[in-house]
Amino acid sequence: PELQGAAADRAGEVFDDTLELIRAAHSRGGKIAVVSASENCEAILRRAGLLELFDARVTGIEAAALDLAGKPAPDTFLKAAELLDTAPARAAVFEDAISGVQAGRAGGFGLVVGVDRRGEGNMLAENGADVVTDDLRRFLPPPAADTP
């Protein structure tokens, strides 16, 4: 599945578990989009040296230019799936906001992961997350077994 979500969140804070998951997905041929209401998303990712990790982005700038409704409407996530040339049912949304989880659910995405960064796991689940976690390393593939 393709991944949509943000590595830099809440004023540009970078989460190591998110970066590990994105890098692992890339190494396996996955495509990644970032969806953010922020008009500064690209600048934040560029400053953090993370812009190249994303195959597509839908930020506040693109949303305004394309007249896309914000979360909890699924429009920005659906646009990201389109840019990745991926059907929503074959994509995953990773979100730490209740409105983002609602948007992923409303968009018919194959997997909606609530990322519990604020102790709101129950609310994320109640609002449509298929699974809730506080550590995205849970989604990393197992290490390759050493062969003798």
Side-chain angles (χ1 to χ4, degrees):
E2 308 312 326
L3 307 176
Q4 299 183 27
D9 194 17
R10 288 192 276 147
E13 184 177 355
V14 177
F15 297 101
D16 290 338
D17 59 329
T18 304
L19 291 178
E20 288 179 43
L21 181 60
I22 289 169
R23 288 183 174 127
H26 265 292
S27 74
R28 298 169 67 95
K31 297 183 285 184
I32 315 289
V34 61
V35 176
S36 173
S38 173
E39 293 186 357
N40 298 315
C41 178
E42 182 177 344
I44 291 167
L45 292 173
R46 182 175 282 115
R47 271 196 307 274
L50 303 174
L51 190 61
E52 74 285 349
L53 293 178
F54 299 95
D55 301 293
R57 64 184 169 275
V58 179
T59 70
I61 293 171
E62 289 83 14
L66 297 170
D67 199 29
L68 300 174
K71 302 168 195 172
D75 302 28
T76 53
F77 284 139
L78 293 171
K79 183 62 177 178
E82 177 187 326
L83 293 172
L84 293 175
D85 194 28
T86 300
R90 296 193 38 81
V93 170
F94 292 79
E95 253 295 345
D96 67 350
I98 291 167
S99 62
V101 165
Q102 292 169 334
R105 176 61 45 229
F109 285 83
L111 178 66
V112 179
V113 178
V115 184
D116 188 9
R117 303 279 189 209
R118 301 180 198 115
E120 297 177 341
N122 288 339
M123 292 293 294
L124 294 167
E126 289 171 12
N127 281 277
D130 294 307
V131 64
V132 175
T133 186
D134 62 358
D135 189 344
L136 292 176
R137 291 176 188 96
R138 167 180 179 183
F139 295 94
L140 291 172
D146 291 332
T147 55

